[in-house]
Amino acid sequence: MVALGLILCGLMACNKRLDIEPEQSIPTEVALSTSQNIENLLTGAYNRAGRIDMYGGRLQLLSDLYGFTDQAAWYGTFQQPRQVFNKSVLVDNSFVSAYWLDAYTLVNMTNLIIDHLEIVDEDIRADVSGGAKFLRGLTYFDLVRMFGAPYEEGQANSQLGVPIALSGIVDYTGNLEVARNTVQEVYAQVITDLNDAFEELPESNGALANRYTAKALLARVYLQQGNYAEARDAADEVILNSGHSLTNTYAAAFNNDANSSEDLFAIQVTSQDDAVTRENQLIVHYADQANGGRGGDVAVEGYVDLFDSDTDVRGDFFYVSRDYGDLLTSKYTNQFGNIPVIRLAEMYLIRAEANLRLGTSIGASPAADINTIRSRANASSKSSVTLDDILLERELELAFEGFLIHDLKRTGRAIGEFSYDNNALVYPIPQREMDANSLLVQNPGY
């Protein structure tokens, strides 16, 4: 399983010069020959999703650095995240290149699983298929959000997204060039994959994705599109039927060795993980050295000023770095803690916003959902809420979890001096991909 993952290089970066099979690999025809091996490949795909360049932390970190203005600041010495924070990313940014490579390696792994479902034991075939499609949908959704121009509600969305590949690659000697699909096409594929995953996955699946994980991600996708009715209904279904509940305290939602009651999907991190590939990168950059970090690369003093309630525990969920004296978030203090990717709290926020925009109260009124979140945080309740109230509540609740730039873009808000659709707020296609694939078109401004 791991060996097969090692020979599956990124879709765009694999040209003949790079097609080298490591000594510790096993032949592809063997790795794809049995039901157990396909199951193992799915396990490898989940592990790939948790690598440092993806949901192991860097993707969330860079997403927020893109959106930060005065809420937080990058003080670390690494130039790759500094470029993102300064909105001046270079085409050879190694963090961006590594994300692209890992993302398309993961896509290829899921494609190989789907291509070989006929050899998977029938009683688990749907589970395996659903898991692969969930991971593929998740990966394409974030790829298109980072490398494509923003999705525009009600528009054709013919702007360039990312290349879609739906067949696994086992032979790298042929022509592997693929052009970029449109943003609309990528979103359509994401929604197809997640709907399939919802139908195929079980209601309970341990730490792996289940049907409500897929439905929760659909709610996030629909919200990004401005499809508020579908976002509302998906979030409502998760709240009502997933069996998950908010943790009793805000602090209990973070730094957990096992999934909390509100984790719909989290990256599993243990002390046995390979620090090179699975280290919790949010700890590395958000924590001080005593908590396993670099001292606190991201100082968050400005974020505290957003709170309107003196009793809100989220406004005190910080500590002073013992290394440099900066204020750091307490969300990441356990270096072996799981990394939440989808929390139930987000579903309440999605349902509240969608209901408000539509003038409905499906499941609960917008004020009731917001007060559910605020009550857990011991913040004062609100008799009514505006859209601005809900958007602020998202920032208070979901800060430092990778939401900021995407919320700013979908609501058309400026990021400092940059308009939401500024070319500088979109990753460049990595230069190594441009060199290897003549069909790729670079994003404007690079």
Side-chain angles (χ1 to χ4, degrees):
M1 171 272 297
V2 175
L4 177 61
L6 290 172
I7 67 170
L8 300 176
C9 52
L11 176 64
M12 296 302 106
C14 289
N15 56 28
K16 293 180 181 178
R17 293 171 295 168
L18 300 176
D19 186 18
I20 301 173
E21 185 170 334
E23 291 182 2
Q24 66 267 44
S25 68
I26 60 177
T28 303
E29 62 271 15
V30 174
L32 299 173
S33 64
T34 69
S35 179
Q36 183 61 58
N37 284 350
I38 299 300
E39 291 178 67
N40 290 342
L41 182 55
L42 179 60
T43 300
Y46 276 105
N47 287 336
R48 175 70 58 166
R51 287 170 68 99
I52 60 177
D53 297 303
M54 297 190 66
Y55 301 98
R58 278 187 185 167
L59 178 59
Q60 299 94 314
L61 169 71
L62 298 186
S63 297
D64 278 331
L65 286 175
Y66 244 155
F68 287 153
T69 49
D70 54 0
Q71 308 98 321
W74 173 263
Y75 289 134
T77 57
F78 288 11
Q79 291 305 303
Q80 301 95 325
R82 181 172 297 281
Q83 290 174 16
V84 177
F85 177 64
N86 291 337
K87 287 69 171 170
S88 58
V89 184
L90 301 181
V91 295
D92 62 352
N93 186 296
S94 61
F95 281 25
V96 173
S97 297
Y99 168 54
W100 177 287
L101 183 62
D102 268 348
Y104 273 106
T105 300
L106 175 54
V107 165
N108 196 48
M109 294 171 79
T110 61
N111 287 342
L112 287 170
I113 293 166
I114 295 166
D115 289 346
H116 293 82
L117 286 172
E118 73 280 356
I119 69 173
V120 176
D121 293 342
E122 189 172 356
D123 60 334
I124 61 169
R125 189 175 299 159
D127 295 359
V128 171
S129 175
K133 289 176 181 176
F134 167 76
L135 289 172
R136 189 170 69 180
L138 173 67
T139 304
Y140 272 132
F141 178 51
D142 282 314
L143 276 169
V144 76
R145 291 201 295 177
M146 299 308 293
F147 290 99
Y151 189 98
E152 300 285 358
E153 179 186 354
Q155 303 300 312
N157 289 292
S158 57
Q159 63 270 35
L160 289 178
V162 294
I164 296 176
L166 300 179
S167 297
I169 300 172
V170 294
D171 179 7
Y172 294 105
T173 61
N175 182 2
L176 303 178
E177 295 189 333
V178 181
R180 297 173 68 178
N181 289 82
T182 68
V183 167
Q184 178 60 43
E185 289 169 337
V186 179
Y187 269 83
Q189 182 60 49
V190 168
I191 291 169
T192 295
D193 275 344
L194 296 180
N195 276 317
D196 286 350
F198 175 76
E199 294 297 332
E200 294 173 335
L201 285 168
E203 291 192 7
S204 179
N205 203 18
L208 306 182
N210 61 44
R211 66 184 327 207
Y212 294 108
T213 309
K215 184 64 75 171
L217 183 54
L218 272 169
R220 185 185 291 181
V221 173
Y222 287 135
L223 186 72
Q224 195 75 39
Q225 287 184 306
N227 187 344
Y228 300 114
E230 294 285 3
R232 174 201 61 195
D233 293 349
D236 182 59
E237 184 168 358
V238 174
I239 293 168
L240 293 179
N241 299 324
S242 69
H244 289 267
S245 60
L246 296 180
T247 55
N248 291 331
T249 66
Y250 186 65
F254 307 98
N255 300 303
N256 296 305
D257 294 327
N259 285 3
S260 75
S261 63
E262 74 174 88
D263 282 328
L264 290 155
F265 185 63
I267 298 301
Q268 310 297 300
V269 179
T270 76
S271 60
Q272 303 304 309
D273 284 330
D274 176 2
V276 175
T277 59
R278 292 294 304 279
E279 187 177 41
N280 186 330
Q281 284 291 292
L282 294 167
I283 290 287
V284 170
H285 296 298
Y286 276 112
D288 66 6
Q289 294 180 37
N291 287 309
R294 285 167 33 86
D297 288 338
V298 183
V300 301
E301 278 86 351
Y303 173 68
V304 180
D305 297 333
L306 298 175
F307 289 88
D308 61 359
S309 173
D310 292 337
T311 63
D312 193 330
V313 299
R314 298 171 301 184
D316 294 318
F317 202 52
F318 306 99
Y319 66 100
V320 176
S321 169
R322 282 150 284 193
D323 304 301
Y324 303 111
D326 297 317
L327 196 65
L328 309 178
T329 177
S330 292
K331 284 189 174 181
Y332 308 112
T333 57
N334 176 3
Q335 67 184 112
F336 304 119
N338 289 352
I339 303 171
V341 177
I342 309 175
R343 294 195 289 122
L344 188 66
E346 181 192 356
M347 298 299 106
Y348 283 99
L349 292 162
I350 289 175
R351 188 171 72 176
E353 181 179 342
N355 268 324
L356 182 75
R357 290 180 181 273
L358 295 170
T360 58
S361 295
I362 299 297
S365 69
D369 275 340
I370 292 305
N371 286 331
T372 294
I373 298 299
R374 291 177 65 82
S375 176
R376 197 261 297 267
N378 200 35
S380 56
S381 63
K382 293 179 177 290
S383 58
S384 62
V385 293
T386 65
L387 179 59
D388 285 343
D389 290 332
I390 294 173
L391 295 179
L392 175 59
E393 201 64 36
R394 284 184 64 88
E395 193 166 353
L396 300 181
E397 177 70 24
L398 304 174
F400 319 121
E401 297 179 53
F403 289 88
L404 185 56
I405 188 61
H406 306 303
D407 277 345
L408 293 171
K409 285 184 175 184
R410 71 177 178 81
T411 53
R413 289 176 284 170
I415 298 87
E417 64 185 40
F418 298 90
S419 64
Y420 78 96
D421 57 354
N422 192 290
N423 294 330
L425 301 176
V426 177
Y427 278 166
I429 305 299
Q431 188 59 51
R432 61 174 290 175
E433 314 305 329
M434 296 296 299
D435 293 342
N437 183 357
S438 65
L439 298 181
L440 286 178
V441 176
Q442 183 60 275
N443 282 323
Y446 293 104

